[in-house]
């Protein structure tokens, strides 16, 4: 009985091992549009011995997946820059980067320095930047020409015609809209809770004004394109996509500053093919690939002239949205200290459950 | 020798099933129970205790959502029974043999489409710029576009649509076995339609009703996609909170606790239901 059972188990285990990736596979854990087929084809043509396998995900799922496996199963991950420090501290899921293998000279200096500063633990750097973009407001200029910032989402003028995503970004944006700076409160849990309480109250009072909470880019696109929603919180890349189809709908950087995120390259602790990972990093930052990539993602590459390297239609959308002051006023997400996400999570659940 | 061979073949037959139950159901459940007892005290530090369960009790949002989910799932079960029973009765007793198979097939067709697509179907129909709203405007019944999506009614409709089949199938198979002579005898003895229904059909169908109710209730309480896609800004669903604990807050301990609580609570509701209707699992689901 036991012998047979052991044999069965051993057989199953063998089967699993045999199907696991061989050394010349690059297993990429990234965002929906961050590995366009064209780019993968070009990469594989240049490196015939490497197969690229892509898993699409988002910040939270990337961390959850890597945590579940102790950092193995993938060779390269692309979480946002503010999601690395505490995840690494708590779950130890990444390994330090070997910066000598990465051509950092092609990256925009300020973004590289920012990401390095955010992701250095014990003198080791865990991530370098890939693409960046912002979160802000999107408005249909025909219906809502006066929109300037986060507070307009709760303006009774647009009763039943606004939308937001019920995640931490809206908490931060609303706090800025109310004249507070959440990033300055990161060190003081009591003050942060106090800020969260005020934001929660405001967003609960705002619920009647909102049509629904959107959950993904496609969802939001449907709501805006159909005209059911005229003002919404948005990722700029989603807004740029919509602008190409309906130029009345533009991205509005909030007057308090659009919230900026940087998606990075980070190598999971159990990654088995670092060489291929470094090759991919250097490959996708080449100017000709940057354009292909930005065309697919709608985000801006973290290279010195990232905006100029955007495809024409995207560049027009960015030009319609940002002027120099807006770009100077960007608020980059700061590292989230451990424990704060629990407080934010509870605030979000309070808002969702309120009637 | 012969008994050895028989034993071996039985063992070989049962092995995949035992592995499936063991590896995919029993072990993960034990794991979830274990994680739910782990309390987080600091980054990477844990102790054992009931802290996660106390947190659940101390936060009204959580148990309100659990009760709400249970209550709406019961409502869905009752509606599915009310809608499913006449359909099942028609298929089992009234339809002729040939149309019977066709009708049954028609009931199965929606299952060929994934949950996600079915939910999007409802979205296309019910959204403000959707078909129903457009139709109502076209006929002049309403002047302004009307939003039918994003509320509890929509969630209930969507869930009933998703689970009603799981009510119909056990009902049909139970009612199929009922001898028509029993109904005739009932009428011959002077019973009215209602009496025949109450004293003959209902008791006979009881095992099917209970089995159907258990399945639909469990499916509704455990569903994730439909409430999220069709639900409004106020409609929290318990599975959604489990997801957010695991994925967006990395709080596996609380997520596991919620999972155990959902399983325990739904089991309790099923047990109560069985007690109240005077049935037992042995006489319904496990009936020969």
């Amino acid at each position: 009985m036991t012998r047979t059972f052991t044999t069965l188990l051993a057989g199953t285990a063998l089967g699993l091992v045999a199907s696991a990736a061989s050394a010349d596979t690059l297993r990429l854990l990234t965002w929906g549009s961050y590995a366009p087929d064209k780019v993968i084809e070009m990469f594989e043509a240049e490196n015939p011995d490497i197969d690229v396998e892509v898993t699409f995900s988002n910040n939270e799922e990337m961390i959850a997946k890597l945590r579940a496996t102790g950092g193995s199963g993938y060779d390269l991950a692309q979480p946002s820059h503010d999601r690395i420090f505490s995840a690494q501290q708590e779950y130890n899921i990444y390994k330090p980067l070997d910066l000598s293998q990465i051509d950092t000279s092609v990256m925009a200096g300020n973004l590289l320095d920012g990401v390095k500063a955010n992701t250095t633990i014990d003198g080791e750097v865990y991530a370098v930047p890939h693409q960046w973009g912002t979160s802000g407001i999107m408005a249909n200029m025909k219906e809502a020409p006066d929109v300037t910032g986060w507070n307009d989402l709760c303006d009774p003028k647009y009763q039943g015609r606004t939308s937001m995503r019920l995640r931490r970004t809206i908490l931060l944006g609303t706090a800025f809209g109310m004249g507070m700076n959440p990033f300055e409160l990161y060190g003081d849990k009591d003050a942060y809770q106090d800020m969260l309480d005020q934001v929660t109250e405001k967003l609960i009072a705002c619920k009647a004004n909102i049509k629904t909470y959107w959950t993904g880019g496609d969802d939001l696109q449907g709501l805006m394109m159909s005209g059911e929603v005229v003002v919404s919180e948005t990722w700029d890349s989603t807004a740029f996509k919509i602008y190409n189809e309906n130029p009345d709908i533009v991205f509005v950087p909030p007057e308090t500053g659009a919230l900026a995120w940087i998606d990075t390259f980070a190598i999971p602790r159990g990654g088995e093919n670092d060489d291929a990972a470094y090759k991919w990093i250097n490959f996708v930052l080449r100017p000709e690939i940057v354009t292909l990539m930005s065309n697919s993602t709608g985000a801006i590459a973290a290279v010195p002239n990232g905006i100029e390297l955007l495809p024409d239609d995207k560049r027009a959308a960015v030009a319609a949205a940002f002027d120099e002051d807006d770009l100077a006023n960007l608020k980059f997400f700061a590292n989230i200290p451990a424990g704060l996400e629990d407080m934010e999570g509870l605030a979000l659940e309070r808002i969702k459950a309120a009637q | 020798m012969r008994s050895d061979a028989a034993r071996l073949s039985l063992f070989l037959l049962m092995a995949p099933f035992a592995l499936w139950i063991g590896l995919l159901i029993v072990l993960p459940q034990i794991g979830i129970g274990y994680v739910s007892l782990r309390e987080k005290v600091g980054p990477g530090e844990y102790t054992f205790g009931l802290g996660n369960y106390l947190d659940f009790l101390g936060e009204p949002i959580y148990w309100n959502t659990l009760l709400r989910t249970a209550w709406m799932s019961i409502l869905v079960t009752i509606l599915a029974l009310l809608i499913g029973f006449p359909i099942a009765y028609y298929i089992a007793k009234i339809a002729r043999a040939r149309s019977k198979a066709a009708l049954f097939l028609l009931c199965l067709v929606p299952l060929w489409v994934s949950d996600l697509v079915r939910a999007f179907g409802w979205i296309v129909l019910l959204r403000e710029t959707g078909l129903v709203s457009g139709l109502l405007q076209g006929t002049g019944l309403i002047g302004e576009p009307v939003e039918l999506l994003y509320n509890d009614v929509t969630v209930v409709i969507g869930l009933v649509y998703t689970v009603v089949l799981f009510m119909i199938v056990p009902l049909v198979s139970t009612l199929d076995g009922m001898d028509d002579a029993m109904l005739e005898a009932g009428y011959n003895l002077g019973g009215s339609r209602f009496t025949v229904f109450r004293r003959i059909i209902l008791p006979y169908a009881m095992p099917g009703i209970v089995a159907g109710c258990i399945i639909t209730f469990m499916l509704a309480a455990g569903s994730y996609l439909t409430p999220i896609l069709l639900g409004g800004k106020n409609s929290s669903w318990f599975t959604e909170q489990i997801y957010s604990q695991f994925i967006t807050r990395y709080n596996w301990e609380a997520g596991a606790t919620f999972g155990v609580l959902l399983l325990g609570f739904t089991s309790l509701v099923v047990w109560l239901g069985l007690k109240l209707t005077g049935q037992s699992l042995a006489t319904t689901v496990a009936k020969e």
Side-chain angles (χ1 to χ4, degrees):
Chain A
M1 169 80 193
T2 8
R3 276 258 307 278
T4 328
F5 186 68
T6 328
T7 324
L8 274 170
L9 265 185
T12 319
L14 206 70
L16 285 174
V17 172
S19 68
S22 52
D24 44 11
T25 308
L26 171 64
R27 294 162 304 166
L28 201 56
L29 180 61
T30 189
W31 298 81
S33 50
Y34 277 38
D37 291 340
K38 185 92 200 297
V39 173
I40 293 179
E41 266 169 41
M42 291 167 76
F43 181 77
E44 285 178 342
E46 196 175 295
N47 302 281
D49 53 330
I50 302 177
D51 281 331
V52 182
E53 266 175 28
V54 191
T55 305
F56 295 133
S57 190
N58 58 45
N59 267 327
E60 289 91 7
E61 285 179 7
M62 274 185 224
I63 295 172
K65 275 188 171 135
L66 290 174
R67 183 186 168 188
T69 60
S72 58
Y74 299 95
D75 302 308
L76 186 61
Q78 300 213 260
S80 296
H81 71 290
D82 58 325
R83 298 298 188 100
I84 292 184
F85 187 85
S86 64
Q88 172 60 17
Q89 220 180 14
E90 202 145 347
Y91 311 125
N92 188 22
I93 49 179
Y94 301 112
K95 56 178 150 193
L97 293 181
D98 177 1
L99 288 176
S100 67
Q101 304 243 37
I102 300 171
D103 182 8
T104 50
S105 67
V106 300
M107 296 175 182
N110 60 337
L111 298 178
L112 177 64
D113 292 343
V115 169
K116 272 170 139 176
N118 268 319
T119 63
T120 301
I121 301 173
D122 297 332
E124 304 268 23
V125 174
Y126 283 84
V128 289
H130 178 210
Q131 302 228 4
W132 66 277
T134 62
S135 286
I137 302 291
M138 166 162 58
N140 187 327
M141 282 297 147
K142 272 208 176 128
E143 315 264 344
D146 310 324
V147 168
T148 56
W150 301 103
N151 292 331
D152 291 305
L153 292 171
C154 301
D155 188 335
K157 244 196 309 193
Y158 310 118
Q159 170 80 35
R161 285 273 170 273
T162 70
S163 183
M164 55 176 69
R165 179 170 178 249
L166 204 54
R167 286 287 170 91
R168 59 187 305 267
T169 310
I170 193 65
L171 298 177
L172 301 174
T174 307
F176 275 114
M178 293 169 81
M180 299 180 275
N181 185 340
F183 299 144
E184 282 169 8
L185 302 175
Y186 267 11
D188 181 350
K189 277 200 174 169
D190 290 336
Y192 199 73
Q193 186 60 54
D194 186 50
M195 178 217 85
L196 279 179
D197 289 342
Q198 292 180 49
V199 169
T200 306
E201 201 180 317
K202 163 134 184 170
L203 287 177
I204 288 176
C206 178
K207 274 188 97 163
N209 212 48
I210 289 167
K211 183 174 200 73
T212 186
Y213 297 118
W214 59 271
T215 50
D218 296 334
D219 191 12
L220 174 59
Q221 194 161 352
L223 288 168
M224 284 305 285
M225 296 292 292
S226 66
E228 292 178 12
V229 163
V230 297
V231 189
S232 177
E233 179 213 349
T234 184
W235 292 310
D236 56 2
S237 50
T238 309
F240 297 158
K241 266 185 202 159
I242 298 176
Y243 176 81
N244 291 328
E245 298 187 33
N246 180 356
D248 287 334
I249 300 174
V250 293
F251 181 75
V252 181
E255 56 205 343
T256 49
L259 295 167
W261 43 264
I262 311 169
D263 287 335
T264 65
F265 297 107
I267 297 191
R269 188 160 58 89
E272 288 160 13
N273 199 349
D274 295 357
D275 278 348
Y278 288 122
K279 273 184 190 156
W280 176 266
I281 295 173
N282 291 323
F283 182 81
V284 296
L285 286 171
R286 289 184 200 165
E288 72 272 20
I289 309 295
V290 159
T291 305
L292 283 176
M293 188 67 90
S294 290
N295 194 23
S296 162
T297 63
I300 303 163
V303 295
N305 48 355
I307 293 179
E308 277 100 88
L309 284 176
L310 285 171
D312 292 339
D313 49 350
K314 298 261 161 46
R315 203 171 52 233
V318 175
F322 287 97
D323 58 26
E324 284 301 316
D325 291 343
D326 294 325
L327 287 175
N329 193 23
L330 291 180
K331 299 274 186 294
F332 279 93
F333 282 111
N335 271 341
I336 313 169
L340 245 58
E341 261 168 310
D342 280 345
M343 291 155 67
E344 290 172 347
L346 193 58
L348 292 171
E349 266 149 31
R350 290 215 167 104
I351 298 166
K352 177 85 196 255
Q355 295 296 322
Chain B
M1 272 304 273
R2 262 208 62 189
S3 80
D4 270 359
R7 213 180 292 161
L8 181 68
S9 59
L10 177 71
F11 175 75
L12 284 178
L13 270 174
M14 295 302 284
F17 178 69
L19 274 179
W20 178 62
I21 292 277
L23 293 178
L24 292 176
I25 296 179
V26 178
L27 274 183
Q29 289 295 345
I30 294 173
I32 291 280
Y34 170 82
V35 174
S36 77
L37 291 172
R38 210 169 58 174
E39 273 176 58
K40 190 170 170 177
V41 285
E45 282 176 73
Y46 301 95
T47 57
F48 275 90
L50 290 172
N52 297 315
Y53 291 91
L54 295 177
D55 283 351
F56 171 84
L57 291 174
E59 186 52 74
I61 290 173
Y62 297 144
W63 43 265
N64 273 339
T65 311
L66 180 58
L67 290 177
R68 211 180 99 90
T69 304
W71 152 237
M72 281 179 74
S73 303
I74 291 172
L75 186 68
V76 166
T77 309
I78 294 170
L79 288 174
L81 180 63
L82 292 180
I83 295 168
F85 198 90
I87 299 174
Y89 190 79
Y90 185 86
I91 293 177
K93 288 280 131 214
I94 299 171
R96 281 197 222 116
R98 269 178 63 199
S99 52
K100 206 182 249 189
L103 284 172
F104 209 60
L105 193 69
L106 274 180
C107 286
L108 280 171
V109 165
L111 273 198
W112 296 350
V113 180
S114 84
D115 268 9
L116 192 65
V117 177
R118 273 181 276 164
F120 276 116
W122 285 108
I123 292 178
V124 169
L125 284 178
L126 297 177
R127 71 185 304 166
E128 192 182 332
T129 49
L131 283 175
V132 174
S133 171
L135 221 62
L136 287 175
Q137 280 179 85
T139 54
L141 283 172
I142 49 168
E144 292 274 294
V146 56
E147 179 64 82
L148 301 164
L149 210 57
Y150 313 126
N151 56 51
D152 289 347
V153 179
T154 326
V155 176
V156 170
I157 294 175
L159 280 174
V160 168
Y161 173 70
T162 314
V163 300
V164 73
L165 183 75
F166 297 93
M167 183 65 89
I168 293 177
V169 172
L171 281 177
V172 168
S173 60
T174 313
L175 287 170
D176 234 359
M178 187 167 74
D179 197 335
D180 287 344
M182 286 169 74
L183 298 181
E184 280 165 31
Y187 289 120
N188 286 345
L189 289 169
S192 65
R193 275 167 167 248
F194 179 70
T195 315
V196 169
F197 176 75
R198 193 172 61 85
R199 306 272 306 261
I200 300 177
I201 302 178
L202 210 55
Y204 194 91
M206 208 36 142
I209 293 176
V210 173
C213 284
I214 292 175
I215 300 171
T216 47
F217 174 74
M218 285 295 195
L219 280 176
S223 64
Y224 176 73
L225 272 176
T226 312
I228 296 221
L229 288 175
L230 302 182
K233 48 196 182 186
N234 299 327
S235 66
S236 303
W237 205 256
F238 202 63
T239 43
E240 189 185 354
Q241 288 194 334
I242 295 179
Y243 176 89
S244 83
Q245 289 292 352
F246 268 103
I247 304 295
T248 55
R249 294 170 62 184
Y250 320 133
N251 195 343
W252 290 12
E253 291 72 33
T257 308
F258 286 12
V260 171
L261 284 167
L262 179 62
L263 181 67
F265 189 74
T266 47
S267 305
L268 180 75
V269 171
V270 169
W271 179 80
L272 271 178
L274 286 171
K275 282 282 152 227
L276 288 177
T277 53
Q279 301 285 317
S280 79
L281 281 178
T283 58
T284 54
V285 183
K287 200 180 172 212
E288 293 275 320

